[in-house]
mmCIF file of all heavy atoms in Angstrom:
data_model
loop_
_atom_site.group_PDB
_atom_site.id
_atom_site.type_symbol
_atom_site.label_atom_id
_atom_site.label_comp_id
_atom_site.label_asym_id
_atom_site.label_seq_id
_atom_site.Cartn_x
_atom_site.Cartn_y
_atom_site.Cartn_z
ATOM 1 N N GLN A 81 107.537 102.803 96.888
ATOM 2 C CA GLN A 81 108.892 103.243 96.559
ATOM 3 C C GLN A 81 109.807 102.034 96.362
ATOM 4 O O GLN A 81 110.616 102.009 95.439
ATOM 5 C CB GLN A 81 109.429 104.143 97.664
ATOM 6 C CG GLN A 81 110.773 104.746 97.359
ATOM 7 C CD GLN A 81 111.250 105.676 98.456
ATOM 8 O OE1 GLN A 81 110.631 105.787 99.507
ATOM 9 N NE2 GLN A 81 112.353 106.350 98.222
ATOM 10 N N LYS A 82 109.655 101.018 97.210
ATOM 11 C CA LYS A 82 110.467 99.808 97.067
ATOM 12 C C LYS A 82 110.168 99.113 95.745
ATOM 13 O O LYS A 82 111.073 98.616 95.071
ATOM 14 C CB LYS A 82 110.224 98.854 98.236
ATOM 15 C CG LYS A 82 110.855 99.300 99.521
ATOM 16 C CD LYS A 82 110.586 98.318 100.639
ATOM 17 C CE LYS A 82 111.158 98.789 101.950
ATOM 18 N NZ LYS A 82 110.883 97.838 103.046
ATOM 19 N N LYS A 83 108.889 99.087 95.371
ATOM 20 C CA LYS A 83 108.524 98.469 94.102
ATOM 21 C C LYS A 83 109.137 99.226 92.935
ATOM 22 O O LYS A 83 109.645 98.617 91.992
ATOM 23 C CB LYS A 83 107.000 98.421 93.944
ATOM 24 C CG LYS A 83 106.325 97.412 94.830
ATOM 25 C CD LYS A 83 104.822 97.441 94.646
ATOM 26 C CE LYS A 83 104.128 96.490 95.601
ATOM 27 N NZ LYS A 83 102.657 96.553 95.460
ATOM 28 N N LEU A 84 109.085 100.553 92.994
ATOM 29 C CA LEU A 84 109.672 101.368 91.932
ATOM 30 C C LEU A 84 111.182 101.165 91.857
ATOM 31 O O LEU A 84 111.747 101.054 90.763
ATOM 32 C CB LEU A 84 109.355 102.843 92.152
ATOM 33 C CG LEU A 84 107.915 103.272 91.900
ATOM 34 C CD1 LEU A 84 107.728 104.732 92.293
ATOM 35 C CD2 LEU A 84 107.547 103.064 90.444
ATOM 36 N N GLU A 85 111.826 101.095 93.016
ATOM 37 C CA GLU A 85 113.265 100.863 93.031
ATOM 38 C C GLU A 85 113.603 99.493 92.448
ATOM 39 O O GLU A 85 114.580 99.355 91.722
ATOM 40 C CB GLU A 85 113.801 100.983 94.456
ATOM 41 C CG GLU A 85 113.812 102.397 94.982
ATOM 42 C CD GLU A 85 114.206 102.477 96.445
ATOM 43 O OE1 GLU A 85 114.449 101.424 97.075
ATOM 44 O OE2 GLU A 85 114.261 103.593 96.968
ATOM 45 N N ALA A 86 112.785 98.488 92.765
ATOM 46 C CA ALA A 86 113.020 97.152 92.224
ATOM 47 C C ALA A 86 112.851 97.145 90.706
ATOM 48 O O ALA A 86 113.645 96.529 89.985
ATOM 49 C CB ALA A 86 112.079 96.145 92.870
ATOM 50 N N LEU A 87 111.820 97.848 90.211
ATOM 51 C CA LEU A 87 111.620 97.929 88.770
ATOM 52 C C LEU A 87 112.776 98.656 88.090
ATOM 53 O O LEU A 87 113.246 98.217 87.030
ATOM 54 C CB LEU A 87 110.301 98.641 88.453
ATOM 55 C CG LEU A 87 109.028 97.858 88.708
ATOM 56 C CD1 LEU A 87 107.811 98.752 88.499
ATOM 57 C CD2 LEU A 87 108.957 96.653 87.793
ATOM 58 N N GLU A 88 113.234 99.735 88.696
ATOM 59 C CA GLU A 88 114.364 100.466 88.135
ATOM 60 C C GLU A 88 115.620 99.600 88.126
ATOM 61 O O GLU A 88 116.386 99.628 87.167
ATOM 62 C CB GLU A 88 114.606 101.756 88.921
ATOM 63 C CG GLU A 88 113.538 102.802 88.717
ATOM 64 C CD GLU A 88 113.725 104.011 89.612
ATOM 65 O OE1 GLU A 88 114.733 104.065 90.364
ATOM 66 O OE2 GLU A 88 112.878 104.908 89.569
ATOM 67 N N LYS A 89 115.805 98.829 89.184
ATOM 68 C CA LYS A 89 116.968 97.945 89.261
ATOM 69 C C LYS A 89 116.890 96.876 88.177
ATOM 70 O O LYS A 89 117.887 96.574 87.515
ATOM 71 C CB LYS A 89 117.031 97.299 90.643
ATOM 72 C CG LYS A 89 118.249 96.458 90.874
ATOM 73 C CD LYS A 89 118.279 95.906 92.280
ATOM 74 C CE LYS A 89 119.488 95.026 92.488
ATOM 75 N NZ LYS A 89 119.530 94.454 93.842
ATOM 76 N N GLU A 90 115.699 96.317 87.976
ATOM 77 C CA GLU A 90 115.520 95.313 86.923
ATOM 78 C C GLU A 90 115.791 95.909 85.549
ATOM 79 O O GLU A 90 116.425 95.279 84.707
ATOM 80 C CB GLU A 90 114.100 94.739 86.974
ATOM 81 C CG GLU A 90 113.855 93.821 88.136
ATOM 82 C CD GLU A 90 112.420 93.326 88.177
ATOM 83 O OE1 GLU A 90 111.682 93.501 87.178
ATOM 84 O OE2 GLU A 90 112.024 92.764 89.207
ATOM 85 N N LYS A 91 115.306 97.130 85.319
ATOM 86 C CA LYS A 91 115.551 97.786 84.035
ATOM 87 C C LYS A 91 117.041 98.028 83.835
ATOM 88 O O LYS A 91 117.568 97.824 82.739
ATOM 89 C CB LYS A 91 114.791 99.110 83.958
ATOM 90 C CG LYS A 91 113.302 98.956 83.779
ATOM 91 C CD LYS A 91 112.616 100.305 83.717
ATOM 92 C CE LYS A 91 111.118 100.166 83.577
ATOM 93 N NZ LYS A 91 110.439 101.488 83.552
ATOM 94 N N ALA A 92 117.713 98.465 84.892
ATOM 95 C CA ALA A 92 119.152 98.713 84.798
ATOM 96 C C ALA A 92 119.902 97.419 84.504
ATOM 97 O O ALA A 92 120.824 97.395 83.676
ATOM 98 C CB ALA A 92 119.666 99.344 86.077
ATOM 99 N N GLU A 93 119.500 96.338 85.165
ATOM 100 C CA GLU A 93 120.149 95.041 84.915
ATOM 101 C C GLU A 93 119.884 94.574 83.487
ATOM 102 O O GLU A 93 120.768 94.033 82.835
ATOM 103 C CB GLU A 93 119.644 94.002 85.917
ATOM 104 C CG GLU A 93 120.158 94.209 87.313
ATOM 105 C CD GLU A 93 119.561 93.229 88.311
ATOM 106 O OE1 GLU A 93 118.721 92.393 87.902
ATOM 107 O OE2 GLU A 93 119.935 93.311 89.482
#
Side-chain angles (χ1 to χ4, degrees):
Q81 185 178 6
K82 286 180 183 179
K83 288 179 184 178
L84 288 174
E85 289 174 358
L87 286 174
E88 290 174 3
K89 185 177 178 181
E90 288 178 13
K91 287 180 182 178
E93 288 176 359

